[in-house]
C-alpha cells in the first residue's frame, strides 16, 4: 500500500540536533573527554584538567596487535611444562577460570546494563583495540607461573591442608602490601614519561567495559606482576607454604573486583557513600574508578579509597547518563528479527561484545545442514523458556524508543514450508505481547520474517493482525521497510561513477519485490538501459528486459546486481571455466564485468580468484553520523555484518515510518512512487548510503 502524500512530518523530524553524544577514544582529542555524556556540570573535568590527555595517549593510538597466533600462545605453556617436567593442570585451571569469569562478566554487564543504555555507546575502535588485548595479561601470567612452579614448587603444591590458612594470609597480604604498593605504582605510572611508554594505552578508554581493567600495555603487565605477586609470594616466603587453588582464587576474584570497578554503572548504597561509613574508605564503587578515567589525576587506589583520602587525591564523581534515559516502559517501535545461523550466535554482543561489529562471520567448520540442525535444536530449547528474545534499545530523534526483538526461530523454520504458519504465529504473538506490555503500535519485519514464501511479504501478518480479536482495533502498523531498501539500491546505482554510460546490467533477484521496484525505476529514468535477469520465471515485461538461466552470463556485463542469495557453489561452478581469463579485448576470452553490487543480507563474499579486475561490494547499507545527526542513538547497529553507525535500509525505513507517523501498513509489493519520498525523508534525517571504495 502506498503511503499518504499529505502527511506532515512530526516536529522531531523537522528539528534535528547537531551535537554528538558518542564517546570516542581518548586518542581522538581531549574534546572526547569533555563530551562524555556521563558527566554533569559538577563533575565535568575542565580543559586545564584534560589538556595533557592527548599528549600521553597519542603514543598508543595506532597500536594494533596481531591476534592470528593467540591459540598457539595459549598452548605454549603445555609444551614448556612437558619439557621441564612441571605440572600443567594448575596453570590451565587458573587461566581457563579467569577467561570464563571475564567472559561471563562481560555477558552479564551487557545484558543488565549496556543493552538498554543508549546514551553510553563505546566506539568501534575501542572495542577492536580492547578485544585484541584483554586476554594478554592472562596469557602473560600463565607463562610467568612456569618458572615459579619450577623454582618454588611448594608455592603451588603444598599439602591441601594449608588451603584455609593460606587464604587468610593472602587476604591480609593484599590489604597490607598490595593496596599501598598499587597506589604508589599507579601514581608512578602517571608520570608523563611512563604514561607515554605504558599506562596511556589503558587510558585510551574513557568510557569503560568490565574487561577494560585487563587492557594494558604489554610491558605494564610485568609491573603488575611485581605489584600483585606479594599477595601470595609474601606469605609463602614467610611460612614456606601456599596452594595453587588460593593463587587461582585470588586472581579470579581480583579480576572480578577489578572488572566491577570498570563497569559503567552507578551504585550508591549509603554503606559506600555515607561519610560516616567505614566502607567509603575500605571498598570502592564503579564511580570511584570511573572518576579516575574522567579526571585522570585522581582516585588512584586499587580497591580501597582510603589511600586517596590519606594522600589528598580522592575526588567525587557522579555518573549521570542513566538519569537522562527515557522511561524503561516506553517502547514506540519494535523491529522483529530472527536467528541467522550459528555464526549469528557467536557474533551477538551477549556472547562476545567485541564481535558486535564488522563483517558477518560464516561458520566454516560445519556443513550448512549440520549447522542449521544444531541451531534448530537451540531454537527449540529457547522456545521452552521464552517466546522471544529482547535485544538492544535505542533512541529515535530524541523522543522515541525503538527496540530489536527476535522471535526464537532459526533458518530451518524459514526453509521448511510446514513451519511457516508457526513463524507467522510467533510474530503475531510478539506483536500482541508488546502492545499489551508497552502499548507499542509500530512494528517492522526483519529479513526472513517478510519472505514472500512465508507471509507474502508481510501481507499475511497484516491480515492476521486485523483479524485478531485483541489487535484489530489497536491501530497496529506492520512495515517491511523494503521501500527504503529499493530506494537505497537505486541511488547506489545512480551514484556510481560513469553509470550513465553503462548500457546494460545483469540482475540476480530482479523478480523479488525490491529488485522489481529498482528495475522499474531504472527503466523509467534510463529508457535506453538494458537489463538481463537471471531467472527461469518472467515477471517483468519490458522490451529492454531479457532473461537467462546461465549465471556465467554475468561476465558479459560491466555492472552486476545481486539481490538474491545463491549458494556460493553455484557461482563457483558458473565461473570456474573462465577463471584466469583476461579482461582485455585483445585477448581470446575477454570479460566485461568490473563490479558486482550485492544487497543480500547477510553479505557473503564470492570467490573471485582468477578475476583480478572484478570487485564485489556490499550495497544498501546506510550510515548515520553522530557528528552530523542525532537521529539515532544507541545500539541500533549491532549484528548482521554492520560497522558502527550503519543500519540496513529496511530497518531505517520502518524507523522513518515511525517518525513520520505513517498510518498505513507497508507490506506486499513496493509502491514505486514512494521510493523517492522515502529517500528524501531519510536524507533529511541524516541518513546516506555507505560510500563504495572502488
Amino acid at each position: 500500500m502506498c503511503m499518504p502524500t499529505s502527511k506532515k512530518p512530526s516536529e522531531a523530524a523537522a528539528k534535528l540536533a547537531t551535537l554528538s553524544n558518542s564517546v570516542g577514544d581518548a586518542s581522538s582529542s581531549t574534546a572526547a573527554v569533555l563530551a562524555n555524556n556521563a558527566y554533569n556540570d559538577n563533575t565535568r573535568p575542565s580543559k586545564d584538567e584534560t589538556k595533557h590527555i592527548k599528549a600521553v595517549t597519542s603514543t598508543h593510538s595506532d597500536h594494533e596487535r596481531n591476534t592470528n597466533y593467540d591459540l598457539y600462545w595459549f598452548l605454549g605453556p603445555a609444551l614448556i611444562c612437558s619439557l621441564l617436567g612441571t605440572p600443567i593442570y594448575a596453570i590451565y585451571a587458573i587461566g581457563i577460570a579467569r577467561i570464563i569469569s571475564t567472559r561471563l562478566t562481560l555477558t552479564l554487564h551487557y545484558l543488565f546494563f549496556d543493552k538498554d543504555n543508549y546514551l553510553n555507546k563505546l566506539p568501534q575502535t575501542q572495542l577492536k583495540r580492547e578485544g585484541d588485548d584483554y586476554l594478554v595479561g592472562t596469557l602473560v601470567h600463565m607463562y610467568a607461573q612456569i618458572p615459579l612452579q619450577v623454582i618454588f614448587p611448594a608455592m603451588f603444591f603444598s599439602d591441601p591442608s594449608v588451603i584455609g590458612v593460606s587464604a587468610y594470609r593472602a587476604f591480609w597480604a593484599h590489604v597490607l602490601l598490595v593496596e599501598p604498593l598499587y597506589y604508589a605504582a599507579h601514581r608512578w605510572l602517571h608520570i608523563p614519561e611512563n604514561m607515554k611508554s605504558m599506562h596511556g594505552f589503558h587510558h585510551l578508554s574513557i568510557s569503560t567495559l568490565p574487561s577494560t581493567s585487563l587492557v594494558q600495555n604489554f610491558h605494564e603487565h610485568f609491573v603488575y606482576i611485581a605489584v600483585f605477586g606479594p599477595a601470595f609470594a609474601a606469605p609463602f616466603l614467610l611460612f614456606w607454604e601456599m596452594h595453587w587453588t588460593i593463587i587461582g582464587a585470588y586472581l579470579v576474584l581480583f579480576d572480578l573486583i577489578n572488572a566491577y570497578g570498570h563497569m559503567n554503572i552507578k551504585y550508591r548504597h549509603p554503606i559506600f557513600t555515607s561519610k560516616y561509613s567505614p566502607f567509603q574508605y575500605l571498598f570502592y564503587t564503579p564511580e570511584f574508578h570511573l572518576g579516575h578515567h574522567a579526571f585522570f589525576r585522581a582516585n588512584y587506589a586499587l580497591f580501597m579509597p582510603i589511600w586517596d583520602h590519606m594522600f589528598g587525591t580522592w575526588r567525587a564523581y557522579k555518573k549521570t547518563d542513566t538519569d537522562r534515559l527515557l522511561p524503561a516502559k516506553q517502547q514506540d517501535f519494535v523491529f522483529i528479527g530472527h536467528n541467522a545461523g550459528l555464526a549469528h550466535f557467536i557474533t551477538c554482543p551477549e556472547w562476545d561484545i567485541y564481535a558486535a561489529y564488522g563483517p558477518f562471520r560464516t561458520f566454516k567448520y560445519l556443513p550448512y545442514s549440520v549447522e542449521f540442525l544444531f541451531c534448530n535444536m537451540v531454537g527449540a530449547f529457547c522456545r521452552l523458556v521464552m517466546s522471544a528474545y529482547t535485544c538492544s534499545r535505542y533512541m529515535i530523534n530524541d523522543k522515541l524508543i525503538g527496540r530489536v526483538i527476535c522471535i526464537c526461530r532459526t533458518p530451518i523454520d524459514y526453509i521448511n514450508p510446514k513451519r511457516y504458519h508457526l513463524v507467522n504465529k510467533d510474530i503475531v504473538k510478539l506483536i500482541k505481547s508488546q502492545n499489551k506490555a508497552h502499548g507499542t503500535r509500530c512494528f517492522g519485519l526483519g529479513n526472513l520474517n517478510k519472505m514472500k514464501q512465508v507471509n507474502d511479504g508481510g501481507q499475511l501478518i497484516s491480515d492476521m493482525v486485523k483479524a485478531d480479536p485483541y489487535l484489530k482495533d489497536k491501530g497496529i502498523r506492520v512495515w517491511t521497510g523494503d521501500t527504503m531498501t529499493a530506494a537505497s539500491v537505486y541511488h547506489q546505482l545512480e551514484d556510481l561513477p560513469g553509470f550513465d554510460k553503462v548500457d546494460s546490467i545483469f540482475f540476480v533477484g530482479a523478480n523479488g519485490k525490491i529488485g522489481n521496484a529498482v528495475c522499474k525505476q531504472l527503466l523509467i529514468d534510463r529508457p535506453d538501459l538494458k537489463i538481463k535477469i537471471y531467472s527461469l520465471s518472467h515477471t517483468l515485461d519490458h522490451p529492454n528486459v531479457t532473461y537467462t538461466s546461465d549465471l556465467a552470463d554475468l561476465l558479459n556485463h560491466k555492472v552486476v546486481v545481486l539481490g538474491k542469495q545463491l549458494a556460493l557453489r553455484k557461482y563457483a561452478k558458473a565461473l570456474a571455466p573462465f577463471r584466469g581469463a583476461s579482461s582485455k579485448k585483445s585477448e581470446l576470452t575477454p570479460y566485461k564485468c568490473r563490479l558486482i553490487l550485492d544487497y543480500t543480507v547477510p553479505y557473503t563474499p564470492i570467490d573471485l580468484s582468477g578475476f583480478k579486475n572484478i570487485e564485489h561490494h556490499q550495497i544498501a547499507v546506510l550510515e548515520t553520523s553522530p557528528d552530523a545527526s542525532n537521529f539515532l542513538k544507541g545500539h541500533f547497529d549491532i549484528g548482521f555484518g554492520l560497522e558502527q553507525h550503519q543500519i540496513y535500509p529496511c530497518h531505517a525505513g520502518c524507523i522513518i515510518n515511525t517518525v513520520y507517523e505513517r498510518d498505513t501498513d507497508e507490506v506486499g509489493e513496493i509502491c514505486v512512487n514512494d521510493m523517492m519520498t522515502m529517500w528524501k525523508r531519510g536524507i533529511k534525517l541524516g541518513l546516506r548510503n555507505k560510500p563504495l571504495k572502488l
Side-chain angles (χ1 to χ4, degrees), residues 191-328:
I191 295 172
E193 291 76 12
N194 298 327
M195 283 294 295
K196 289 181 179 180
S197 63
M198 288 188 289
H199 197 51
F201 183 69
H202 178 73
H203 275 278
L204 285 172
S205 301
I206 301 167
S207 289
T208 58
L209 287 168
S211 54
T212 304
S213 59
L214 301 172
V215 178
Q216 314 288 350
N217 170 270
F218 182 76
H219 301 95
E220 191 173 345
H221 288 297
F222 296 94
V223 175
Y224 290 135
I225 288 175
V227 170
F228 306 146
F232 41 86
F236 171 73
L237 293 175
L238 283 174
F239 302 99
W240 293 100
E241 58 185 19
M242 181 55 69
H243 201 270
W244 70 267
T245 57
I246 298 306
I247 296 174
Y250 175 83
L251 291 174
V252 170
L253 190 60
F254 186 98
D255 287 348
L256 291 174
I257 298 174
N258 204 7
Y260 163 74
H262 287 79
M263 288 183 177
N264 223 313
I265 61 174
K266 63 178 182 180
Y267 180 66
R268 298 175 187 165
H269 193 283
I271 197 172
F272 296 112
T273 57
S274 172
K275 65 180 180 179
Y276 303 108
S277 172
F279 283 97
Q280 182 188 15
Y281 308 97
L282 298 179
F283 195 69
Y284 74 158
T285 65
E287 285 180 306
F288 170 84
H289 193 72
L290 290 175
H292 174 69
H293 279 259
F295 299 124
F296 219 62
R297 290 175 174 170
N299 300 0
Y300 292 100
L302 182 56
F303 305 146
M304 300 175 68
I306 188 172
W307 296 99
D308 283 290
H309 286 279
M310 288 173 59
F311 290 98
T313 53
W314 179 86
R315 187 165 177 182
Y317 172 83
K318 290 186 177 181
K319 176 180 168 65
T320 62
D321 59 333
T322 52
D323 299 336
R324 296 181 281 114
L325 295 173
L326 292 174

Side-chain angles (χ1 to χ4, degrees), residues 2-18:
C2 292
M3 67 177 72
T5 56
S6 60
K7 192 71 177 178
K8 297 285 187 181
S10 63
E11 182 180 350
K15 298 180 179 180
L16 299 175
T18 58

